[in-house]
Each structure stands twice: as structure tokens, then as C-alpha cells.
Amino acid sequence: MAAAAPIRLASSSSLTLVASTCSSSFIFTKFRSIPHLRFSFSVTTAANATSGNSLLFCSRRGKRMAHTLAKATLGLTHPAEIESHKISLAAKDIDLVEWKGDILAVGVTEKDMIKDENSKFQNVTLKKLDSQLHGLLSQVSIEEDFTGRVGQSTILRISGHGTKRVSLVGLGKGPTGSSSSSSTSAYRSLGESIATSAKASQANNVAVAIASSQDLTPEFKLTTASAIATGALLGTYEDNRFKSEPKKLPALKSIDFLGLGGGPELEKKLKYTEDVCSGVILGKELVNAPPNVLTPGVLAEEAEKIALTYSDVFSAKILDTEQCKELKMGSFLGVAAASENPPKFIHLCYKPANGSIKTKLAIVGKGLTFDSGGYNIKTGPGCLIELMKFDMGGSAAVLGAAKALAQIKPPGVEVHFIVAACENMISGTGMRPGDILTASNGKTIEVNNTDAEGRLTLADALVYACNQGVDKIVDLATLTGACIVALGPSIAGIFTSSDELAKEVVAASEVAGEKLWRLPMEESYWDSMKSGVADMVNTGGRQGGSITAALFLKQFVDEKVEWLHIDMAGPVWNDKKKAATGFAVPTLVQWVVANSSSSS
């Protein structure tokens, strides 16, 4: 990733992963297999819930991060085996005061919390619940100044009722009535709050309701249930593979949805949510994995595993160094030249088992599993070298989306998932400042900063994607620190000359609850990228670093292909949780589904 200008004195560089070299004397080894975290979903009515005829959906038990290393792992680090954990989601058509279990969580807006002159709730649902609790709910909300703001929550321990605890979770101003990212985020936060409360109290079963669910349209109820489920499932998940004493599995076994509909439509929506969450978890694990574990070869094997598991719709092609040379990928191979771990060019292809193809898409992800910065090495406070394992966040999003789509199986769309995976190291064989690289489309690049390596790998990956005959390309990269400075840690920047493609991807992000912001492709800035001896340099001046990086990538995209670049350097990582976010997987999945026949 190109470092932000205030952090580095050099011109904008590229997002960097830190790893350690491996001795050539290391032996071959295999990782232990890790079962996939499992969720099961059911949609029931009150009647069949009573009779036990609930529909149940179980995810495929998959192995997670089962790697074969080319060399033994530096530090002898191997991910531990994690037992699978199953959570059942059920939609039940019963009154919330009749529900029995460990925690009843109610999402409330600021409007829902308005009280009358007697300090009693005006909201019908809260009034009924408060009556059952003999006024305790209204009393506590006043004492704790709980007004329903986003981020507020309170939980009461009660006895003598069907539920052991009642929790109120603030939704702020409430839904807009559409699938905006702000509404989706609010309901996802409700799900995360449920997961947190369940962990703290070791709850086995939880129910969730919305105080004003009667005001939601049937379609928005589906969106709401999906967002809550996403927050709860991802909030329950913890990545403990590299801890010597992994925490116990969560106690949570079931989540019931009250007043949010039911039937086949909700059943389908919850299954879709499960599939997307499995992709997000894969994305998180890939980014979280240390660079001495996640090498280019290991990343390629993760891709092959997806193709093997879902061979009915997926095929894989992994190119080695010699094959990349045959394709004249000098830009990609220049970055990889210094590493002991050989590069791998990953190409997964999704094709529906039946039906005609109406659209061909490509998703390209930056795959720097380790980036020292090369001879422009990252040094000094703020260079983030200790976090640079997330420099392959783009490729993690690509593979996470691939896994999710393999389960969803959208019809009528062919998707190429492409990653140029390598490490950017320092050695006598490595790329030097001043070197000139020749990309696979024949264009020459003067390297004026070896820490702007991500765009060099993407150059050949984009040329390759165009050669697959695709209609549209979305690439993702933790490309520039400048984008973090501009948009902060929660928003990704997008760059494109296609207004139509920008609308598509932004619409997908709003459904997914992820934040994107379109930045300009200012052509006049290209002057800073001109070289006196080659077609271009690989990085411009300190100003507008994210824009010049996008302009660089544009040089390797066929003019007939619609293309959009996502700079996800900010939201790839959560500093507070010290872990990956799985960012962009939900957006990519939604974008592909929107381009499929199922959306027609």
C-alpha cells in the first residue's frame, strides 16, 4: 500500500505486508485441517415450532485453512484445530411476551422511547412488555437515560417470566424505509449487540424483535432480518487459531426472529446470509493469518480448495513463474523477484452448471502476502509495517466472495476471480529503484519507488482479466495510505470512468451495509506519472496519491471494458478489535447477484 504523505517523505508507496524469509533448508509440511464454523438456519411458524417440524438448513462442513506449505513455516507456527459451532436461526410468529428463553432483545428507535405524561411508553410493543415487567423497563430506561440512540444498550436480569433477561438496543432515528447502508449498519449493530450479550451471559437461546416492526414493509423486514443475522453470526465468530489456549466455543445455539415475517422468502434470505457470512469469515481468516503462514503458495491452495469443493461451478488455474514469463508478466514478476517464496498467479472461474451466460465479470484482488517495501523499505513510526499482513486484503475479498457465490450459485453470470500473489522482499535479485519493467500489454514502467508494488502486480492482473473477454471488472486493493488520510478507516474510495458501473457497485454496497465514496479520475494529474525513459513511473508526487494510483491502473484496462477500482486500505482492518473486517465480500457478492439472471 502506498503510504500516506504525512507518514512518509518518499512519494506515495504501496500497502505493505510484513513477513519473514524462510530458510531453504526447511522441509515440506502440511497444516492441520480446521473445520469451518457452521451456522444452520430454520424458519418456523408458531405451530410447527411447537410440533418440532422446523425447517433446518445446515451449511456444508468445510475445512478451513488446510494448507500445504512449500516449506516448513517459519517459527513452527500452525493454526490450531477449531471445533465447528452451529447456530440455528428461526423466524417465529408468536408474541414477544410469550417467548421463553435466555435473552429477549428488542431494537428500539428514539421515537419508540417517547413516553407519555405518566412516564409510560407510547409504543404498543414496549407498553405491553413493560406491563408484563410491572413498569421495570420504563423505570430503568429513565434511570439510565436510555433514549434509543445508536450504540446505546441496556439489559435487565428478571425472574418469574418466560425470559431470563430483557435487552433494549438503540437504533437511532430508525430505518429510512430502504436498504441504505446506514439502516443496514444499525440493524447489523443490533445483531452484534445480541452476540455480545450472549457471550457475556453464556446464553443458549436469544430472541430478537423490533419495537415498531409493524411499520416495516415485507421487503424491508427481510433486509432487517438479514442484517441482524449477519451482525449476530459475525459477532459470535472469533479467530482463535493462533492462540495457545483457544477460548471455549460460544454457548449460543439459536436465535429466534419475532415479528419479522416467515416462509420461503425469509428462509432463502437467511440461507443467503449464511453463505455471505462464510465468505466474510474466510476473508477475515486470510487477512488475520500471519505472513509466515500465509505465503503466495498457501493463498493459491485456498483458491484450489474452493474449486475442488465446488467443482460443479468452479475451475482453477494456478500459473507458476515460468507460465507468467510466457505471458510476459514482467511487472508482476519484477515485484516477486526478491522473495524465496515463488509467486502464484491465481485464476478461479465460476460458471453456472446450467443455462446461458448473459454477463461476464472479473474481480481482481491485490495479493501481496508480504511487502517489506523493497529497497524503499518501510521504516519509522506510523509506517504500519507491523500490520502489513493486510496488504493482501483485496485477494481475501476476492476469495471470500468466490466461496460465498459458490454456494449461492447465481445463474446467467460468469465470474473470473484473479489474484497475482507474491511477496515484495529485499535481496540481490530484487527489483531496484530505477529499474524498468515491461508489463504484459507491452507498456514500460520506470520503478521510482519499490514500495508502490501493488499497482505493479495489478497491472498484469488487469491485462489478464481483459483477455478473458469480460464485460466489467472490479479490482480491490489496499493500495494507498493517501486514501486512509482522505476517507478514514471506515470508507473505501472508488474510482471509475463509468457512471453506470459506479451506480451498480454503490447500490450493492448500500444493500451490504458497506461504505464507499467515489473520488475523481483527474486526468491532469497524470503529468506527475510521466517518465523520461519509459512510458510511465509507478508513483507520482505526494499530492493526490490515490488518484494517480488509479490513473496508473487505468493504463492496463482495455477501453472497451467497464472498470472500477476500490481502494480499501482503510476498512480492511479494525484497529479497535486488532483484526480483519472481511470488508467488500458482501458488496462483491451483491454486485454479482445483481448482474445475474436471478435479478431479472
Side-chain angles (χ1 to χ4, degrees):
M1 173 184 78
I7 296 175
R8 291 182 63 88
L9 296 178
S11 54
S12 79
S13 45
S14 73
L15 248 187
T16 333
L17 301 194
V18 184
S20 304
T21 55
C22 297
S23 166
S24 58
S25 64
F26 286 146
I27 59 172
F28 287 71
T29 187
K30 273 185 177 286
F31 273 100
R32 289 173 287 169
S33 64
I34 302 204
H36 177 62
L37 181 67
R38 300 172 63 203
F39 307 114
S40 67
F41 298 83
S42 62
V43 180
T44 70
T45 62
N48 64 26
T50 303
S51 65
N53 294 326
S54 59
L55 300 174
L56 186 63
F57 291 84
C58 296
S59 67
R60 181 194 299 256
R61 183 183 180 93
K63 292 183 178 180
R64 190 171 68 213
M65 296 289 280
H67 309 309
T68 305
L69 289 180
K71 299 170 185 175
T73 307
L74 180 70
L76 304 181
T77 300
H78 302 270
E81 289 197 21
I82 305 296
E83 293 181 36
S84 62
H85 179 60
K86 185 168 65 174
I87 300 175
S88 172
L89 303 188
K92 295 187 177 179
D93 187 18
I94 60 174
D95 196 298
L96 81 170
V97 297
E98 298 175 2
W99 183 82
K100 297 180 180 181
D102 293 327
I103 301 175
L104 172 63
V106 183
V108 297
T109 65
E110 294 176 23
K111 181 180 178 181
D112 295 332
M113 294 303 297
I114 295 176
K115 301 178 180 66
D116 60 22
E117 63 276 7
N118 297 316
S119 298
K120 299 297 182 182
F121 291 112
Q122 296 183 20
N123 177 273
V124 175
T125 300
L126 294 180
K127 183 184 294 185
K128 181 187 294 185
L129 183 58
D130 195 36
S131 176
Q132 287 285 110
L133 300 178
H134 307 293
L136 182 61
L137 203 60
S138 56
Q139 178 184 339
V140 169
S141 68
I142 293 172
E143 291 177 355
E144 297 186 4
D145 192 28
F146 181 89
T147 59
R149 296 192 304 273
V150 172
Q152 279 192 312
S153 65
T154 185
I155 188 164
L156 312 177
R157 174 65 193 247
I158 57 179
S159 59
H161 298 275
T163 179
K164 297 177 182 178
R165 293 174 175 82
V166 173
S167 174
L168 296 182
V169 182
L171 299 173
K173 299 296 182 182
T176 62
S178 64
S179 299
S180 68
S181 59
S182 58
S183 296
T184 304
S185 296
Y187 288 116
R188 184 172 294 177
S189 295
L190 170 56
E192 291 171 355
S193 179
I194 290 170
T196 300
S197 298
K199 287 179 184 178
S201 61
Q202 288 295 296
N204 292 129
N205 43 68
V206 174
V208 59
I210 304 299
S212 297
S213 60
Q214 71 278 359
D215 297 335
L216 304 180
T217 64
E219 181 180 355
F220 197 72
K221 284 183 178 180
L222 294 177
T223 303
T224 299
S226 176
I228 295 171
T230 298
L233 297 179
L234 296 181
T236 302
Y237 167 77
E238 291 184 38
D239 190 354
N240 296 315
R241 295 167 299 151
F242 298 100
K243 295 183 179 180
S244 58
E245 296 182 6
K247 295 180 181 179
K248 294 181 180 179
L249 283 174
L252 186 59
K253 296 179 180 178
S254 67
I255 303 175
D256 295 336
F257 291 83
L258 311 181
L260 289 174
E265 288 189 354
L266 183 56
E267 172 185 308
K268 182 179 179 181
K269 192 70 172 180
L270 291 178
K271 178 61 171 63
Y272 175 90
T273 303
E274 172 201 11
D275 296 337
V276 174
C277 285
S278 73
V280 172
I281 288 172
L282 175 60
K284 286 185 173 189
E285 290 183 342
L286 291 174
V287 175
N288 284 338
N292 60 322
V293 169
L294 189 72
T295 62
V298 170
L299 191 63
E301 288 178 3
E302 281 297 313
E304 288 180 313
K305 188 177 70 175
I306 293 172
L308 181 63
T309 304
Y310 305 100
S311 58
D312 57 328
V313 291
F314 262 100
S315 61
K317 181 189 293 183
I318 309 298
L319 306 182
D320 60 20
T321 300
E322 291 304 315
Q323 291 169 308
C324 290
K325 285 181 181 179
E326 291 176 7
L327 294 176
K328 303 184 185 305
M329 295 183 178
S331 187
F332 168 47
L333 293 176
V335 176
S339 178
E340 291 268 346
N341 289 306
K344 298 292 181 181
F345 192 93
I346 300 165
H347 178 197
L348 284 176
C349 183
Y350 167 84
K351 287 185 180 180
N354 302 302
S356 60
I357 302 299
K358 75 166 190 173
T359 308
K360 291 185 179 182
L361 308 174
I363 303 176
V364 180
K366 177 182 171 183
L368 265 295
T369 61
F370 178 82
D371 175 15
S372 67
Y375 280 103
N376 291 105
I377 191 170
K378 292 180 181 293
T379 58
C383 71
L384 299 181
I385 195 167
E386 72 283 0
L387 286 179
M388 283 299 105
K389 66 180 181 178
F390 66 58
D391 208 17
M392 42 66 65
S395 66
V398 167
L399 295 187
K403 180 177 181 180
L405 289 164
Q407 299 167 82
I408 296 168
K409 295 179 171 56
V413 61
E414 177 179 308
V415 190
H416 297 266
F417 302 85
I418 297 167
V419 175
C422 68
E423 297 178 331
N424 182 24
M425 302 292 287
I426 301 174
S427 78
T429 63
M431 175 178 65
R432 296 152 295 209
D435 283 352
I436 295 178
L437 310 178
T438 303
S440 48
N441 66 346
K443 293 188 177 182
T444 57
I445 308 156
E446 180 185 3
V447 179
N448 62 356
N449 192 326
T450 61
D451 195 24
E453 85 302 325
R455 65 199 69 181
L456 296 174
T457 66
L458 287 170
D460 283 325
L462 289 169
V463 172
Y464 183 93
C466 290
N467 289 339
Q468 306 310 307
V470 299
D471 305 303
K472 306 171 188 177
I473 298 174
V474 169
D475 83 69
L476 307 95
T478 47
L479 205 63
T480 67
C483 202
I484 303 176
V485 173
L487 299 178
S490 302
I491 306 172
I494 63 172
F495 302 82
T496 182
S497 300
S498 170
D499 293 339
E500 186 60 34
L501 185 54
K503 290 178 183 177
E504 284 184 14
V505 175
V506 169
S509 73
E510 289 179 346
V511 174
E514 297 184 313
K515 297 178 181 179
L516 304 179
W517 191 262
R518 189 177 181 183
L519 293 169
M521 296 279 287
E522 179 54 53
E523 294 291 343
S524 66
Y525 288 8
W526 182 248
D527 288 343
S528 68
M529 300 291 288
K530 293 179 179 178
S531 166
V533 294
D535 294 332
M536 67 196 82
V537 293
N538 69 323
T539 182
R542 294 174 62 188
Q543 297 177 332
S546 296
I547 298 174
T548 54
L551 291 172
F552 177 90
L553 296 179
K554 184 181 178 183
Q555 311 308 307
F556 304 92
V557 180
D558 191 310
E559 292 181 354
K560 297 178 182 179
V561 179
E562 290 185 81
W563 161 75
L564 181 142
H565 162 61
I566 301 178
D567 192 331
M568 53 184 285
V572 71
W573 189 257
N574 186 314
D575 280 328
K576 184 177 180 180
K577 296 181 179 179
K578 301 184 186 303
T581 61
F583 183 83
V585 172
T587 295
L588 293 175
V589 173
Q590 181 61 34
W591 177 63
V592 171
V593 170
N595 275 276
S596 71
S597 300
S598 62
S599 65
S600 302

